[in-house]
């Protein structure tokens, strides 16, 4: 007993001593620190000194090692070789480059795959992955997990107290994929057993009376075949949850292993892809903060105008910033494209200036760290033709490399201008808006769309896009967040809800908050069941209306909603509303058998308001105009930035970037001092000014 108490005390003490000191790691006056990936194992060791010297000379402050080097770190089971890495770390230190150390788990060595082929992931068709690429091992494999932790333990012992190492990145771009590996099957059953305790409880939640789905034992349950028609929706929902949890716990296991060995001088992070509905981002408890990776030009985003594909989607970095920032005490960007990539459908050159503009854009969102993949362009391997900071000769900076250099020089200038007392314009802060987001809604709606015209993320973006045009700071929040910080909260298509959240929303509005709820909200409970009541009945008191029915027209016969004197086309989801007394109608349906009935309504509730938008428009203009009307009514002043122009503020600086195909004349206060760029922000241009 006493032993248990002592160990609890020890754990508590170690948690306390390891409390991270953010100001120490990322001093505010440093603003941001910039680094670059270097893979010493890819190059002749006689070139390391030259390369790291050149990296430092360009202005980079840190590098990033050993991301894919498991085979070099543990060439044979249990035989570790850190000598080469020690040498690289000491050369980096010679040039004052700090190091992020990586766990290299996404590239298990061949000896492991051959000794335990069970570690390899399996797809829905029963095909096993094989050695030869990366990310082919199953996060559910007990062998893969235990071998990973053994290797990490050695690595962390070796570098955990080394002051040249600033922190750790676990894995690489951890993600979820549906894995049918044997261990995954077993762990899914165990996970279900833990969740439901009894098979009867599972049967109730999964609605297995339907179609004779009933189970009598957990051992009968398999991972659902998601592509099999009609597969049980709850089985699929739970499997999504399980998969997200496998990713989150694998990262936690790694981070916890590292934390056993390291001093409080080092932090632990990972580099997520902004996979918004993955469900695992921000769910690992052991990471000190999170970072994301971002690629902008790879043949899919068309951007704005004919050549916009060379700049990418203007919302891409914006949204990643606004999604990651609220989830973490601070955040960074671990990979930002330095030039052409090799893996897109078409891999064009980014526009001159685009790389620097992306760098400024992620800075504008508040990030503390930015890094790029990679320093040297690879000569061999799958990523041939991928650009680096220098080209294939290993020494000549690429255009993107020079843009990184320019960014770092400009950041140096800003550091000199930084004032601790600097403030942010009150008008900007006053329009701070939250988007309430839960990946479970996306899973739920995407499994059960009702119309193939529906696009869950597209619906959210119809609200996000105008907010950025308003120049509003936006946070993606979850239902645990303190709502009171936000004058306006939008919950787009928040399908799965519970009474507690409805109460929290009601309290928020009564206390003066302004809530915007949109179609599909509240149709189901958290397990995705419809209520035994009228559609979405639990939200009726909140929205001050009933939902009579919903309609999903055929796209060739689309109709419109009239708001003011303007008509807005729609063809996806429309809810025909029946407002209570005291609820005003902003928009009505046109053109069909329910013409004249309300589609958009608003009401006062206590000191605040609730607006309900029962419709999803084709192009987002209705959503934009509803928000305009609401902010005007609330007397919140908004900007009217053209598409592609973003303006944000941090640390006493204003930052404008321009993804559009024309110049933008910046409207800034007369006493603002421009430090970078000019009042006219050209395509791919950046302007930074200092606030008085
Ligand atoms: C990223 C990945 C990097 C590298 C890069 C190439 O998604 O994290 O390791 O493969 O793509 O663009």
């Amino acid at each position: 007993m006493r032993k248990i108490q002592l160990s609890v005390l020890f754990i508590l003490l170690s948690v306390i001593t390891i409390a991270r000191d953010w100001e120490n790691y990322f001093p505010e006056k440093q603003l941001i620190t910039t680094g670059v990936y270097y893979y010493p194992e890819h190059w002749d060791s006689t070139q390391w000194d030259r390369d790291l010297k050149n990296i430092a000379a360009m202005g980079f402050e840190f590098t990033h090692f050993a991301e894919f080097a498991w085979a070099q770190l543990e060439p044979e089971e249990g035989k570790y070789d850190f000598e080469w890495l020690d040498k690289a770390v000491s050369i980096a230190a010679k040039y004052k480059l700090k190091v992020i150390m990586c766990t290299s788990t996404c590239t298990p060595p061949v000896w492991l795959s051959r000794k335990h082929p069970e570690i390899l992931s399996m797809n829905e068709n029963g095909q096993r992955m094989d050695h030869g690429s990366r990310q082919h091992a199953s996060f559910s494999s007990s062998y893969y997990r235990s071998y990973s932790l053994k290797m990490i333990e050695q690595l962390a012992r070796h570098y955990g107290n080394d002051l040249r190492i600033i922190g750790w990145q676990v894995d690489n771009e951890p993600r979820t994929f549906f894995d049918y590996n044997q261990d995954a099957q077993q762990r899914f059953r165990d996970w279900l057993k833990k969740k439901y305790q009894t098979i009867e409880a599972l049967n109730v939640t999964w609605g297995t009376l339907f179609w004779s789905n009933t189970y009598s034992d957990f051992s009968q349950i398999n991972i659902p075949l998601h592509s099999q028609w009609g597969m049980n929706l709850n089985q699929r929902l739970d499997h999504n949850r399980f998969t997200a949890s496998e990713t989150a716990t694998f990262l936690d296991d790694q981070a916890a292993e590292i934390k056993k060995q390291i001093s409080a001088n080092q932090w632990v992070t990972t580099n997520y892809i902004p996979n918004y509905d993955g469900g695992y981002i921000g769910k690992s408890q052991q990471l000190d903060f999170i970072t994301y990776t971002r690629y902008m030009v790879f043949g899919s985003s068309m951007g704005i105008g004919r050549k916009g594909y060379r700049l990418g989607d203007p919302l891409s970095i914006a949204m990643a910033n606004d999604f990651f920032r609220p989830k973490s005490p601070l955040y960074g960007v671990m990979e930002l494209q330095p030039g052409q990539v090799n893996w897109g459908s078409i891999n064009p050159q980014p526009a001159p200036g685009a790389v620097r503009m992306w760098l400024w854009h992620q800075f504008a969102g508040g990030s503390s760290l930015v890094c790029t993949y990679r320093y040297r362009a690879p000569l061999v391997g799958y990523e041939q033709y991928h650009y680096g900071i220098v080209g294939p000769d290993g020494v000549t900076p690429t255009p993107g490399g020079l843009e990184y250099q320019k960014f770092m020089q400009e950041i140096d200038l800003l550091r000199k201008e930084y004032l601790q007392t600097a403030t942010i314009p009150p008008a900007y802060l006053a329009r701070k808006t939250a988007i309430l987001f839960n990946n479970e809604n996306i899973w739920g709606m995407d499994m059960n769309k009702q119309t193939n015209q529906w696009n869950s993320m597209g619906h959210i973006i119809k609200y996000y896009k105008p907010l950025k045009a308003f120049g509003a700071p936006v946070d993606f929040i979850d239902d645990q967040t303190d709502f009171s910080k936000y004058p306006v909260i939008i919950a787009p298509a928040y399908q799965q809800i519970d009474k507690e959240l409805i109460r929290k929303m009601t309290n928020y509005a009564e206390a003066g908050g302004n809530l915007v709820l949109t179609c599909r909200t509240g149709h189901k409970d958290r397990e995705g069941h419809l209520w035994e009541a009228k559609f979405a009945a639990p939200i009726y008191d909140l929205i001050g209306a009933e939902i009579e029915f919903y309609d999903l027209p055929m796209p060739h016969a689309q109709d419109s909603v009239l708001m003011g004197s303007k008509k807005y086309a729609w063809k996806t989801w429309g809810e025909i509303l029946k407002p209570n007394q005291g609820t005003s109608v902003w928009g009505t349906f046109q053109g069909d058998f329910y013409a004249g009935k309300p589609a958009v309504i608003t009401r006062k509730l206590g000191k605040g308001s609730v607006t309900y938008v029962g419709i999803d428009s084709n192009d987002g203009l209705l959503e934009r105009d509803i928000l305009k009307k609401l902010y005007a009514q609330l007397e919140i002043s908004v900007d009217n930035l053209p598409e592609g122009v973003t303006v944000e503020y941090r640390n006493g600086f204003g930052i404008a970037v321009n993804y559009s195909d024309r110049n933008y004349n910046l409207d800034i206060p007369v006493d603002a001092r421009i430090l970078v760029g000019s009042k006219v922000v050209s395509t791919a241009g950046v302007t930074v000014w200092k606030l008085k």
Side-chain angles (χ1 to χ4, degrees):
M1 184 62 188
R2 199 177 132 69
K3 208 167 153 197
I4 294 175
Q5 277 173 355
L6 277 178
S7 54
V8 169
L9 185 70
F10 176 76
I11 291 168
L12 279 176
L13 281 176
S14 47
V15 169
I16 293 163
T17 32
I18 290 220
R20 314 280 113 172
D21 180 354
W22 303 120
E23 186 51 27
N24 217 2
Y25 299 135
F26 299 100
E28 185 128 338
K29 63 179 188 329
Q30 168 186 277
L31 300 173
I32 193 163
T33 180
T34 309
V36 61
Y37 286 26
Y38 186 68
Y39 298 91
E41 69 278 18
H42 292 183
W43 308 105
D44 193 301
S45 59
T46 58
Q47 297 180 335
W48 297 355
D49 194 282
R50 177 200 71 189
D51 290 348
L52 290 161
K53 184 175 176 192
N54 288 346
I55 288 175
M58 283 185 91
F60 289 102
E61 294 173 325
F62 67 89
T63 184
H64 177 278
F65 283 167
E67 194 186 34
F68 302 126
W70 192 344
Q72 285 89 354
L73 292 171
E74 192 182 0
E76 281 176 57
E77 182 177 348
K79 295 224 167 85
Y80 295 95
D81 178 6
F82 298 125
E83 222 178 290
W84 64 274
L85 194 51
D86 287 345
K87 182 173 166 202
V89 170
S90 58
I91 300 173
K94 178 166 139 199
Y95 296 112
K96 300 201 165 36
L97 289 166
K98 297 282 184 191
V99 175
I100 295 180
M101 194 56 80
C102 304
T103 62
S104 75
T105 42
C106 98
T107 48
V110 70
W111 57 257
L112 179 53
S113 305
R114 295 298 174 252
K115 184 172 176 193
H116 296 294
E118 315 88 291
I119 73 158
L120 300 168
S121 295
M122 192 183 275
N123 70 16
E124 194 175 308
N125 301 320
Q127 188 190 11
R128 259 193 205 287
M129 290 182 135
D130 199 4
H131 188 81
S133 62
R134 67 175 184 194
Q135 287 167 311
H136 46 286
S138 162
F139 286 1
S140 300
S141 158
S142 48
Y143 279 125
Y144 177 53
R145 284 197 180 218
S146 64
Y147 275 89
S148 294
L149 295 186
K150 270 194 251 169
M151 178 269 294
I152 291 169
E153 183 190 353
Q154 297 302 321
L155 196 65
R157 273 202 183 155
H158 197 81
Y159 293 111
N161 286 294
D162 187 333
L163 291 178
R164 299 169 301 179
I165 314 298
I166 41 174
W168 296 76
Q169 175 194 304
V170 299
D171 206 71
N172 167 56
E173 288 190 332
R175 62 188 83 187
T176 53
F177 45 92
F178 292 148
D179 176 16
Y180 293 77
N181 174 298
Q182 213 180 333
D183 284 5
Q185 294 279 8
Q186 190 50 48
R187 282 170 67 105
F188 182 47
R189 291 179 193 134
D190 296 345
W191 185 90
L192 291 170
K193 201 162 182 181
K194 194 160 167 220
K195 174 170 177 185
Y196 291 105
Q197 311 278 323
T198 66
I199 199 70
E200 291 75 25
L202 175 140
N203 278 319
V204 171
T205 301
W206 283 18
T208 56
L209 290 175
F210 191 76
W211 286 352
S212 282
N213 277 183
T214 313
Y215 293 96
S216 54
D217 193 90
F218 284 97
S219 63
Q220 297 168 324
I221 299 172
N222 280 346
I223 291 177
L225 297 174
H226 289 268
S227 63
Q228 179 173 318
W229 180 85
M231 194 45 84
N232 183 298
L233 293 176
N234 279 92
Q235 187 177 355
R236 293 181 62 198
L237 182 62
D238 270 340
H239 183 237
N240 271 296
R241 290 169 173 156
F242 163 77
T243 308
S245 138
E246 290 293 83
T247 302
T249 60
F250 185 47
L251 303 180
D252 264 344
D253 287 358
Q254 292 200 29
E257 188 60 50
I258 292 172
K259 284 183 171 180
K260 280 188 207 156
Q261 314 292 342
I262 64 176
S263 72
N265 292 308
Q266 298 176 349
W267 39 257
V268 186
T269 187
T270 192
N271 61 341
Y272 291 115
I273 300 178
N275 179 8
Y276 300 116
D277 62 349
Y280 51 86
I281 297 176
K283 298 282 165 58
S284 295
Q285 306 298 319
Q286 296 286 334
L287 300 177
D288 295 311
F289 64 91
I290 56 185
T291 74
Y292 72 78
T293 67
R294 199 81 276 205
Y295 291 80
M296 301 292 291
V297 170
F298 50 91
S300 52
S301 164
M302 289 303 132
I304 298 168
R306 200 165 153 259
K307 301 285 182 182
Y309 67 86
R310 296 197 190 280
L311 295 117
D313 178 349
L315 296 182
S316 180
I317 291 175
M319 194 154 146
N321 287 336
D322 294 344
F323 184 82
F324 280 83
R325 188 185 46 248
K327 289 195 173 14
S328 190
L330 62 93
Y331 80 100
V333 180
M334 200 58 100
E335 293 175 31
L336 195 62
Q337 185 171 359
Q340 266 169 302
V341 298
N342 68 296
W343 44 263
S345 53
I346 299 175
N347 299 297
Q349 284 279 351
V355 170
R356 170 173 162 269
M357 177 184 69
W358 301 329
L359 280 160
W360 276 109
H361 197 180
Q362 59 79 34
F363 173 81
S367 99
S368 300
L369 161 162
V370 65
C371 189
T372 187
Y373 175 89
R374 53 186 275 157
Y375 179 63
R376 290 182 66 172
L379 307 182
V380 295
Y382 177 73
E383 288 176 347
Q384 283 185 338
Y385 291 113
H386 198 292
Y387 262 47
I389 292 299
V390 295
D393 66 1
V395 288
T396 311
T398 55
L402 295 173
E403 290 182 27
Y404 263 85
Q405 190 172 26
K406 186 159 183 215
F407 169 74
M408 293 183 286
Q409 287 162 355
E410 289 164 344
I411 288 293
D412 267 347
L413 174 73
L414 256 68
R415 285 177 179 169
K416 293 189 188 100
E417 296 283 344
Y418 167 79
L419 288 176
Q420 211 182 354
T421 50
T423 53
I424 298 291
Y428 174 73
L429 294 175
R431 43 183 184 253
K432 193 172 176 97
T433 304
I435 293 186
L436 189 63
F437 179 88
N438 185 342
N439 56 281
E440 298 227 342
N441 294 318
I442 314 284
W443 291 342
M445 291 186 290
D446 286 354
M447 280 190 298
N448 198 1
K449 281 193 174 184
Q450 302 304 310
T451 163
N452 62 11
Q453 303 295 302
W454 177 260
N455 176 340
S456 302
M457 282 310 289
H459 180 73
I460 294 174
I461 289 170
K462 285 173 190 162
Y463 290 89
Y464 180 67
K465 188 174 169 181
L467 291 174
K468 294 324 279 186
F470 292 176
V474 179
D475 280 353
F476 281 78
I477 61 167
D478 60 37
D479 34 348
Q480 300 308 312
T481 312
D482 173 9
F483 287 180
S484 67
K485 296 189 280 189
Y486 303 96
V488 180
I489 297 180
I490 306 170
Y494 208 91
Q495 180 181 257
Q496 284 147 232
I497 209 160
D498 56 30
K499 300 207 169 141
E500 202 182 314
L501 179 55
I502 296 171
R503 218 172 2 254
K504 185 168 175 179
M505 288 173 163
T506 309
N507 293 342
Y508 163 73
E510 281 175 344
N514 300 285
L515 193 63
V516 179
L517 301 177
T518 83
C519 57
R520 301 189 82 144
T521 293
H523 277 220
K524 300 188 179 183
D525 68 14
R526 296 281 189 182
E527 287 299 348
H529 297 183
L530 293 169
W531 306 98
E532 193 169 357
K534 292 183 181 169
F535 277 112
I539 65 166
Y540 288 179
D541 284 347
L542 177 62
I543 67 173
E546 287 195 8
I547 297 171
E548 264 193 65
F549 60 94
Y550 64 92
D551 190 28
L552 320 168
M554 291 295 282
H556 72 274
Q558 52 186 279
D559 271 312
S560 60
V561 159
L562 179 72
M563 188 172 76
S565 54
K566 245 167 131 178
K567 281 187 174 174
Y568 303 86
W570 74 282
K571 61 178 164 116
T572 54
W573 191 286
E575 284 165 11
I576 290 74
L577 308 173
K578 201 163 111 196
N580 301 342
Q581 246 192 351
T583 299
S584 328
V585 176
W586 275 4
T588 50
F589 288 101
Q590 305 292 302
D592 218 314
F593 64 93
Y594 42 83
K597 295 217 175 190
V600 185
I601 54 175
T602 192
R603 68 173 300 210
K604 294 246 166 297
L605 180 59
K607 293 187 192 143
S609 68
V610 182
T611 303
Y612 191 81
V613 187
I615 187 92
D616 172 65
S617 82
N618 287 358
D619 50 15
L621 294 184
L622 173 68
E623 289 79 353
R624 182 199 64 188
D625 288 351
I626 289 169
L627 292 183
K628 267 194 184 163
K629 200 172 156 102
L630 177 68
Y631 285 70
Q633 189 171 292
L634 299 173
E635 295 179 359
I636 297 176
S637 82
V638 298
D639 282 346
N640 187 17
L641 300 169
E643 191 185 0
V645 174
T646 301
V647 177
E648 306 277 5
Y649 297 88
R650 66 174 278 184
N651 301 107
F653 302 106
I655 304 110
V657 296
N658 185 0
Y659 290 74
S660 82
D661 55 355
R662 56 198 62 179
N663 289 347
Y664 176 66
N665 286 306
L666 202 54
D667 179 20
I668 51 174
V670 269
D671 59 350
R673 194 154 59 83
I674 293 184
L675 302 175
V676 173
S678 65
K679 264 195 144 186
V680 178
V681 196
S682 54
T683 301
V686 175
T687 303
V688 183
W689 62 101
K690 187 172 172 180
L691 303 163
K692 278 282 151 64

